[in-house]
Amino acid sequence: MAAGGRQEALALYKALLRESGKFTSYNYREYALRRVRDGFRKAKSLTTEADQKRELEMAKESLQVIKRQVVIGNLYRSPALVIEK
């Protein structure tokens, strides 16, 4: 992966982690964080540039979905779970 692509991927990874951490629900937050980490670990082994680009585009779409879901989650909050207290 080119240096610019690596920096873009790293910035996207950080943004995904940051946004995933904003979920108010513990279960959604942990699920999103796990999916982001697992997805980037899997994508680390991709060798062709076309595959890497496709994964980056999918990650960008996922970031938009997470942002929307965080807003919706904030509108309809549920009480904190015992594990969060």
Side-chain angles (χ1 to χ4, degrees):
M1 182 179 281
R6 181 171 169 78
Q7 288 178 337
E8 180 185 3
L10 189 57
L12 187 57
Y13 178 70
K14 288 179 181 180
L16 281 161
L17 289 177
R18 196 174 313 115
E19 285 299 318
S20 295
K22 292 181 182 178
F23 276 110
T24 55
S25 170
Y26 172 81
N27 290 326
Y28 287 129
R29 184 174 51 248
E30 291 301 313
Y31 174 76
L33 289 169
R34 188 173 56 249
R35 285 292 305 253
V36 169
R37 288 187 195 113
D38 291 347
F40 272 82
R41 273 191 207 115
K42 185 185 85 166
K44 189 177 183 179
S45 64
L46 296 176
T47 54
T48 65
E49 192 157 330
D51 289 341
Q52 292 170 351
K53 258 186 186 172
R54 187 183 72 246
E55 287 295 321
L56 275 179
E57 289 304 316
M58 286 177 48
K60 287 177 186 177
E61 290 174 15
S62 295
L63 178 59
Q64 296 306 315
V65 169
I66 289 172
K67 285 181 178 182
R68 286 192 303 269
Q69 288 303 119
V70 165
V71 170
I72 291 170
N74 286 334
L75 291 174
Y76 303 102
R77 285 183 178 247
S78 60
L81 299 175
V82 173
I83 197 166
E84 294 179 286
K85 294 179 183 177

